[in-house]
Amino acid sequence: MSDGTKAATFEVKRWQTYVPCKTEYLRGESRSKPFVVDVVEGDRVKVWDPTGGQRMGGHRWIALRNLHETGTTKTGKERRTGFRLHCQPPVDPVRQELCGSCFTWAARDQLAISARGFGHSTCIPCMADIEINS
Ligand SMILES: [Zn+2]
């Protein structure tokens, strides 16, 4: 028996962020954008996309089974559908803000632009990218 190192159970939690498993595969499909978990209810998840819908982003429901811990399957194959975990919830929601560019929770002193509300802030590394590319 070699199952002594049981992996921690994967759990979908509020404020985790997810990104599409295979961006290229789903390119052009409006649903394949990163999102933040808002509510987990049974086998479905209400997610929030700061870039979707109206100015303050859009909510939508997706099936829980579409959310995966990693971008690869148990057999090591690359997932083509669904979403993979990108960032765990903030340790300290008061001191951390979600960067809307890389979907990572960053400490406030790591933000180039700090805005109220998820996903409207920009972290320093992303800001540097924006400046280089503009
Ligand atoms: Zn960022």
Side-chain angles (χ1 to χ4, degrees):
M1 298 295 281
S2 60
D3 62 351
T5 54
K6 225 176 191 178
T9 311
F10 171 56
E11 195 184 340
V12 176
K13 291 181 194 155
R14 189 178 195 207
W15 292 355
Q16 283 174 336
T17 65
Y18 287 80
V19 295
C21 286
K22 198 163 171 78
T23 311
E24 284 166 312
Y25 183 71
L26 294 164
R27 187 184 290 156
E29 218 223 293
S30 63
R31 295 171 74 82
S32 62
K33 288 193 288 193
F35 57 75
V36 183
V37 172
D38 186 15
V39 179
V40 182
E41 194 181 281
D43 61 355
R44 56 188 202 145
V45 184
K46 190 180 186 186
V47 304
W48 184 76
D49 166 13
T51 64
Q54 297 300 313
R55 200 162 52 87
M56 292 306 287
H59 281 93
R60 69 178 192 267
W61 289 93
I62 59 174
L64 183 65
R65 62 183 154 77
N66 289 325
L67 273 53
H68 308 291
E69 187 173 16
T70 68
T72 51
T73 65
K74 280 172 189 160
T75 54
K77 279 188 181 168
E78 192 180 356
R79 290 187 192 278
R80 289 165 153 254
T81 59
F83 299 85
R84 63 180 170 82
L85 180 63
H86 176 64
C87 187
Q88 289 288 358
V91 179
D92 183 350
V94 176
R95 298 225 175 98
Q96 286 173 285
E97 282 286 346
L98 181 68
C99 171
S101 297
C102 64
F103 272 76
T104 302
W105 290 93
R108 283 185 181 279
D109 60 6
Q110 292 297 307
L111 295 172
I113 300 169
S114 182
R116 286 189 71 80
F118 296 166
H120 297 282
S121 300
T122 304
C123 71
I124 291 168
C126 284
M127 194 65 196
D129 280 350
I130 291 165
E131 282 169 356
I132 288 163
N133 293 324
S134 61

